[in-house]
Amino acid sequence: MNQDLKNDRFLRALRREPTDTTPIWVMRQAGRYLPEYRATRARAGSFMALAQHPELACEVTLQPLERFDLDAAILFSDILTVPDAMGLGLSFAAGEGPQFARPVRNAADIDRLGVPDMEGELRYVTDAVRLIRRELQGRVPLIGFSGSPWTLACYMVEGQGSRDFATLKAMCWNEPALAHRLLDVLARSVAQYLAAQAVAGAQALMIFDTWGGLLGPAPFREFSLRYMAQVVDTLKTNAHARELPVILFSKGAGMHLPTMADTGCAALGVDWTIDLDQARRAVAGKVALQGNLDPAVLRSNPDTIRRETRAVLDSYGNHPGHVFNLGHGITPEVDPEHVKVLVDEVHSYGRTLRMT
Ligand code: CP3
């Protein structure tokens, strides 16, 4: 199925097969730190116009691959496309975070929600996937993605970004049945969304659970992990999606890696608050790991970036199953030259590590 791929390091690492060096891609690799991204976004008029225009989304997806020797592309889109397609009215005010015109607050709001039509409201996403696959011409695999049900619910109930998403957390304590109804419709939507991306040509799938780490251990299992597991289970019933590796990334949830590894996913994303060596022992060879350089390191200098990059590679060691990444998304003020230093160091040091 992936025989046409010229570089399959990323998919091999996800299968925990040997590779010549460690593969790398960077969360938010297409974004504001790149002047060419800012130029295309200006042409589009807004972030949402950019995401909803398949030719422009394809253009910005490929931009970081022109500059850096990355081992995977990631669809240019956003996790909040799904709630937008559910009718919540998403906008990004200039210089601010996301905003929903119609947040979800009560039973009536939740009863109105349905699984969006993947070839209707979300057709622009599958169109972008098809176009990017064609333009990539097998250079590297394409990652499709979604937010986790929990993380999407955080934004939908709060109506905007927040430090603690206390409105949804309050609903979990006050009206748990309501929270579960919301999370269930989101899990069904996310599974269909990811399956549609698989059918359109995505070659790996990632679920971003950015706010899973806000929950204590038992609530994490009840409100976040359980619904990611439901998504993974549903994907196994789809003829296309069942072939694809799924990466789960819960930020700030290092202590949950062993239970997350039992969901049937292929890999776990890891942030920088846990050593890869410890994370690798915690998952006991069940899954590959993706991570985990602190993105703030990219604000330092080339020598420090090389040193910290080698420390991450050494921490995982000479074992199969490591995909290098940052522990969270790259930030807008990073110098693109520093990303080149990072990518080249991962490949050159990763190669020497394989020989030890
Ligand atoms: O990784 C990639 O290059 C693919 C594109 C991608 C974007 N968002 C583009 C984007 C991906 C994978 C996402 C995921 C996403 N979006 C997450 C999960 C990952 C994470 O970072 O934790 C979350 C929580 C969101 C929601 C979101 N989208 C927020 C909070 C914001 C505003 C904050 C910010 O960084 O400006 C966005 C906007 C957004 N999504 C931008 C990009 C490039 C910036 C918008 C702009 O160009 O002004």
Side-chain angles (χ1 to χ4, degrees), residues 14 16 205 207 228-229 232-233 236 244-249 257 259-269 286-288:
L14 290 177
R16 285 167 285 132
L205 299 171
I207 301 179
M228 289 194 282
V232 174
D233 283 347
K236 303 271 185 222
L244 269 52
V246 177
I247 307 164
L248 301 183
F249 172 55
L257 294 173
T259 34
M260 293 175 76
D262 286 329
T263 54
C265 65
L268 295 175
K286 288 181 191 167
V287 293

mmCIF file of all heavy atoms in Angstrom, residues 14 16 205 207 228-229 232-233 236 244-249 257 259-269 286-288:
data_model
loop_
_atom_site.group_PDB
_atom_site.id
_atom_site.type_symbol
_atom_site.label_atom_id
_atom_site.label_comp_id
_atom_site.label_asym_id
_atom_site.label_seq_id
_atom_site.Cartn_x
_atom_site.Cartn_y
_atom_site.Cartn_z
ATOM 1 N N LEU A 14 7.099 3.849 13.256
ATOM 2 C CA LEU A 14 5.816 3.624 13.937
ATOM 3 C C LEU A 14 5.527 2.132 14.086
ATOM 4 O O LEU A 14 4.834 1.721 15.015
ATOM 5 C CB LEU A 14 4.670 4.309 13.178
ATOM 6 C CG LEU A 14 4.652 5.838 13.216
ATOM 7 C CD1 LEU A 14 3.503 6.377 12.370
ATOM 8 C CD2 LEU A 14 4.538 6.365 14.643
ATOM 9 N N ARG A 16 7.865 0.076 14.658
ATOM 10 C CA ARG A 16 9.011 -0.356 15.476
ATOM 11 C C ARG A 16 9.946 -1.257 14.682
ATOM 12 O O ARG A 16 10.532 -2.195 15.208
ATOM 13 C CB ARG A 16 8.536 -1.024 16.777
ATOM 14 C CG ARG A 16 8.032 0.012 17.791
ATOM 15 C CD ARG A 16 7.277 -0.605 18.935
ATOM 16 N NE ARG A 16 5.954 -1.009 18.491
ATOM 17 C CZ ARG A 16 5.386 -2.189 18.716
ATOM 18 N NH1 ARG A 16 6.034 -3.093 19.415
ATOM 19 N NH2 ARG A 16 4.186 -2.460 18.259
ATOM 20 N N LEU A 205 -2.482 8.532 11.313
ATOM 21 C CA LEU A 205 -3.503 9.382 11.934
ATOM 22 C C LEU A 205 -3.049 9.761 13.334
ATOM 23 O O LEU A 205 -2.543 8.910 14.077
ATOM 24 C CB LEU A 205 -4.843 8.629 12.009
ATOM 25 C CG LEU A 205 -5.442 8.200 10.658
ATOM 26 C CD1 LEU A 205 -6.632 7.269 10.875
ATOM 27 C CD2 LEU A 205 -5.848 9.408 9.818
ATOM 28 N N ILE A 207 -4.163 11.820 16.998
ATOM 29 C CA ILE A 207 -5.206 12.437 17.826
ATOM 30 C C ILE A 207 -4.531 13.349 18.853
ATOM 31 O O ILE A 207 -3.729 12.893 19.667
ATOM 32 C CB ILE A 207 -6.071 11.359 18.523
ATOM 33 C CG1 ILE A 207 -6.735 10.462 17.467
ATOM 34 C CG2 ILE A 207 -7.111 12.014 19.440
ATOM 35 C CD1 ILE A 207 -7.581 9.344 18.030
ATOM 36 N N MET A 228 -10.901 8.298 23.465
ATOM 37 C CA MET A 228 -9.858 8.047 22.450
ATOM 38 C C MET A 228 -9.838 6.562 22.120
ATOM 39 O O MET A 228 -9.691 6.174 20.951
ATOM 40 C CB MET A 228 -8.488 8.506 22.949
ATOM 41 C CG MET A 228 -8.371 10.022 23.016
ATOM 42 S SD MET A 228 -6.670 10.573 23.194
ATOM 43 C CE MET A 228 -6.396 10.253 24.927
ATOM 44 N N ALA A 229 -10.018 5.707 23.135
ATOM 45 C CA ALA A 229 -10.059 4.259 22.896
ATOM 46 C C ALA A 229 -11.255 3.902 22.010
ATOM 47 O O ALA A 229 -11.146 3.059 21.115
ATOM 48 C CB ALA A 229 -10.117 3.512 24.229
ATOM 49 N N VAL A 232 -10.256 4.707 18.468
ATOM 50 C CA VAL A 232 -9.323 3.692 17.927
ATOM 51 C C VAL A 232 -10.098 2.414 17.591
ATOM 52 O O VAL A 232 -9.914 1.827 16.516
ATOM 53 C CB VAL A 232 -8.179 3.405 18.927
ATOM 54 C CG1 VAL A 232 -7.300 2.251 18.442
ATOM 55 C CG2 VAL A 232 -7.316 4.653 19.131
ATOM 56 N N ASP A 233 -10.996 1.994 18.464
ATOM 57 C CA ASP A 233 -11.805 0.783 18.204
ATOM 58 C C ASP A 233 -12.639 0.938 16.939
ATOM 59 O O ASP A 233 -12.724 0.027 16.123
ATOM 60 C CB ASP A 233 -12.771 0.509 19.370
ATOM 61 C CG ASP A 233 -12.065 -0.116 20.557
ATOM 62 O OD1 ASP A 233 -10.907 -0.554 20.389
ATOM 63 O OD2 ASP A 233 -12.668 -0.154 21.645
ATOM 64 N N LYS A 236 -10.771 0.604 13.723
ATOM 65 C CA LYS A 236 -10.422 -0.790 13.370
ATOM 66 C C LYS A 236 -11.534 -1.459 12.562
ATOM 67 O O LYS A 236 -11.318 -2.519 11.971
ATOM 68 C CB LYS A 236 -10.150 -1.634 14.631
ATOM 69 C CG LYS A 236 -9.072 -1.090 15.529
ATOM 70 C CD LYS A 236 -7.689 -1.601 15.175
ATOM 71 C CE LYS A 236 -6.648 -1.114 16.188
ATOM 72 N NZ LYS A 236 -5.400 -0.688 15.608
ATOM 73 N N LEU A 244 -3.943 1.845 9.120
ATOM 74 C CA LEU A 244 -3.093 3.005 9.411
ATOM 75 C C LEU A 244 -2.666 3.054 10.872
ATOM 76 O O LEU A 244 -3.476 2.820 11.769
ATOM 77 C CB LEU A 244 -3.864 4.305 9.079
ATOM 78 C CG LEU A 244 -3.713 4.862 7.662
ATOM 79 C CD1 LEU A 244 -3.987 3.829 6.612
ATOM 80 C CD2 LEU A 244 -4.596 6.068 7.497
ATOM 81 N N PRO A 245 -1.389 3.415 11.111
ATOM 82 C CA PRO A 245 -0.965 3.615 12.498
ATOM 83 C C PRO A 245 -1.643 4.842 13.098
ATOM 84 O O PRO A 245 -1.785 5.869 12.425
ATOM 85 C CB PRO A 245 0.550 3.838 12.384
ATOM 86 C CG PRO A 245 0.782 4.279 10.974
ATOM 87 C CD PRO A 245 -0.310 3.668 10.142
ATOM 88 N N VAL A 246 -2.066 4.726 14.357
ATOM 89 C CA VAL A 246 -2.683 5.850 15.069
ATOM 90 C C VAL A 246 -1.735 6.291 16.190
ATOM 91 O O VAL A 246 -1.238 5.461 16.954
ATOM 92 C CB VAL A 246 -4.058 5.449 15.653
ATOM 93 C CG1 VAL A 246 -4.653 6.602 16.457
ATOM 94 C CG2 VAL A 246 -5.015 5.024 14.541
ATOM 95 N N ILE A 247 -1.500 7.590 16.258
ATOM 96 C CA ILE A 247 -0.652 8.177 17.312
ATOM 97 C C ILE A 247 -1.563 8.947 18.265
ATOM 98 O O ILE A 247 -2.337 9.800 17.826
ATOM 99 C CB ILE A 247 0.370 9.175 16.715
ATOM 100 C CG1 ILE A 247 1.174 8.536 15.589
ATOM 101 C CG2 ILE A 247 1.283 9.725 17.809
ATOM 102 C CD1 ILE A 247 1.910 9.541 14.692
ATOM 103 N N LEU A 248 -1.489 8.640 19.551
ATOM 104 C CA LEU A 248 -2.251 9.394 20.556
ATOM 105 C C LEU A 248 -1.298 10.320 21.293
ATOM 106 O O LEU A 248 -0.232 9.895 21.734
ATOM 107 C CB LEU A 248 -2.894 8.461 21.593
ATOM 108 C CG LEU A 248 -3.859 7.384 21.128
ATOM 109 C CD1 LEU A 248 -4.421 6.647 22.356
ATOM 110 C CD2 LEU A 248 -4.984 7.977 20.302
ATOM 111 N N PHE A 249 -1.689 11.575 21.445
ATOM 112 C CA PHE A 249 -0.846 12.533 22.163
ATOM 113 C C PHE A 249 -1.677 13.264 23.212
ATOM 114 O O PHE A 249 -2.485 14.125 22.889
ATOM 115 C CB PHE A 249 -0.230 13.534 21.179
ATOM 116 C CG PHE A 249 0.504 14.676 21.841
ATOM 117 C CD1 PHE A 249 1.527 14.428 22.746
ATOM 118 C CD2 PHE A 249 0.185 15.995 21.546
ATOM 119 C CE1 PHE A 249 2.211 15.474 23.355
ATOM 120 C CE2 PHE A 249 0.858 17.055 22.156
ATOM 121 C CZ PHE A 249 1.871 16.789 23.058
ATOM 122 N N LEU A 257 0.936 6.791 30.264
ATOM 123 C CA LEU A 257 1.433 6.100 29.072
ATOM 124 C C LEU A 257 1.128 4.597 29.089
ATOM 125 O O LEU A 257 0.699 4.056 28.067
ATOM 126 C CB LEU A 257 2.941 6.358 28.887
ATOM 127 C CG LEU A 257 3.316 7.818 28.569
ATOM 128 C CD1 LEU A 257 4.839 7.988 28.576
ATOM 129 C CD2 LEU A 257 2.757 8.270 27.225
ATOM 130 N N THR A 259 -1.403 2.851 30.347
ATOM 131 C CA THR A 259 -2.803 2.555 29.986
ATOM 132 C C THR A 259 -3.098 2.998 28.558
ATOM 133 O O THR A 259 -3.850 2.339 27.836
ATOM 134 C CB THR A 259 -3.817 3.234 30.931
ATOM 135 O OG1 THR A 259 -3.291 4.491 31.338
ATOM 136 C CG2 THR A 259 -4.152 2.392 32.119
ATOM 137 N N MET A 260 -2.508 4.106 28.133
ATOM 138 C CA MET A 260 -2.725 4.565 26.758
ATOM 139 C C MET A 260 -2.174 3.549 25.762
ATOM 140 O O MET A 260 -2.736 3.365 24.676
ATOM 141 C CB MET A 260 -2.069 5.930 26.540
ATOM 142 C CG MET A 260 -2.724 7.052 27.333
ATOM 143 S SD MET A 260 -1.838 8.609 27.177
ATOM 144 C CE MET A 260 -2.341 9.109 25.526
ATOM 145 N N ALA A 261 -1.074 2.887 26.137
ATOM 146 C CA ALA A 261 -0.449 1.906 25.234
ATOM 147 C C ALA A 261 -1.338 0.685 25.018
ATOM 148 O O ALA A 261 -1.112 -0.085 24.084
ATOM 149 C CB ALA A 261 0.910 1.474 25.792
ATOM 150 N N ASP A 262 -2.330 0.501 25.863
ATOM 151 C CA ASP A 262 -3.230 -0.658 25.738
ATOM 152 C C ASP A 262 -4.462 -0.390 24.878
ATOM 153 O O ASP A 262 -5.345 -1.236 24.780
ATOM 154 C CB ASP A 262 -3.691 -1.121 27.132
ATOM 155 C CG ASP A 262 -2.571 -1.842 27.874
ATOM 156 O OD1 ASP A 262 -1.732 -2.481 27.200
ATOM 157 O OD2 ASP A 262 -2.534 -1.745 29.117
ATOM 158 N N THR A 263 -4.533 0.797 24.245
ATOM 159 C CA THR A 263 -5.729 1.122 23.452
ATOM 160 C C THR A 263 -5.719 0.499 22.062
ATOM 161 O O THR A 263 -6.727 0.562 21.360
ATOM 162 C CB THR A 263 -5.847 2.650 23.244
ATOM 163 O OG1 THR A 263 -4.609 3.109 22.665
ATOM 164 C CG2 THR A 263 -6.127 3.384 24.538
ATOM 165 N N GLY A 264 -4.569 -0.029 21.631
ATOM 166 C CA GLY A 264 -4.485 -0.524 20.256
ATOM 167 C C GLY A 264 -3.903 0.501 19.301
ATOM 168 O O GLY A 264 -3.869 0.294 18.090
ATOM 169 N N CYS A 265 -3.415 1.629 19.852
ATOM 170 C CA CYS A 265 -2.739 2.622 19.004
ATOM 171 C C CYS A 265 -1.342 2.115 18.666
ATOM 172 O O CYS A 265 -0.834 1.185 19.299
ATOM 173 C CB CYS A 265 -2.654 3.966 19.727
ATOM 174 S SG CYS A 265 -1.623 3.950 21.197
ATOM 175 N N ALA A 266 -0.706 2.742 17.648
ATOM 176 C CA ALA A 266 0.641 2.331 17.245
ATOM 177 C C ALA A 266 1.714 3.076 18.017
ATOM 178 O O ALA A 266 2.811 2.565 18.219
ATOM 179 C CB ALA A 266 0.832 2.579 15.750
ATOM 180 N N ALA A 267 1.400 4.311 18.415
ATOM 181 C CA ALA A 267 2.434 5.157 19.026
ATOM 182 C C ALA A 267 1.806 6.159 19.971
ATOM 183 O O ALA A 267 0.624 6.484 19.863
ATOM 184 C CB ALA A 267 3.209 5.900 17.941
ATOM 185 N N LEU A 268 2.643 6.661 20.878
ATOM 186 C CA LEU A 268 2.210 7.699 21.810
ATOM 187 C C LEU A 268 3.117 8.912 21.674
ATOM 188 O O LEU A 268 4.345 8.775 21.624
ATOM 189 C CB LEU A 268 2.274 7.173 23.252
ATOM 190 C CG LEU A 268 1.311 6.026 23.580
ATOM 191 C CD1 LEU A 268 1.563 5.517 25.004
ATOM 192 C CD2 LEU A 268 -0.146 6.478 23.439
ATOM 193 N N GLY A 269 2.534 10.078 21.600
ATOM 194 C CA GLY A 269 3.293 11.314 21.659
ATOM 195 C C GLY A 269 3.635 11.601 23.115
ATOM 196 O O GLY A 269 2.852 11.283 24.015
ATOM 197 N N LYS A 286 5.255 -2.002 23.692
ATOM 198 C CA LYS A 286 3.936 -2.189 23.052
ATOM 199 C C LYS A 286 3.702 -1.189 21.923
ATOM 200 O O LYS A 286 2.943 -1.468 21.003
ATOM 201 C CB LYS A 286 2.816 -1.987 24.082
ATOM 202 C CG LYS A 286 2.719 -3.123 25.076
ATOM 203 C CD LYS A 286 1.578 -2.867 26.048
ATOM 204 C CE LYS A 286 1.627 -3.842 27.193
ATOM 205 N NZ LYS A 286 0.748 -3.447 28.293
ATOM 206 N N VAL A 287 4.278 -0.002 22.030
ATOM 207 C CA VAL A 287 4.030 1.066 21.050
ATOM 208 C C VAL A 287 5.332 1.829 20.777
ATOM 209 O O VAL A 287 6.279 1.757 21.558
ATOM 210 C CB VAL A 287 2.977 2.086 21.574
ATOM 211 C CG1 VAL A 287 1.593 1.465 21.694
ATOM 212 C CG2 VAL A 287 3.421 2.698 22.900
ATOM 213 N N ALA A 288 5.353 2.550 19.660
ATOM 214 C CA ALA A 288 6.455 3.476 19.382
ATOM 215 C C ALA A 288 6.220 4.771 20.162
ATOM 216 O O ALA A 288 5.118 5.005 20.672
ATOM 217 C CB ALA A 288 6.516 3.748 17.889
#
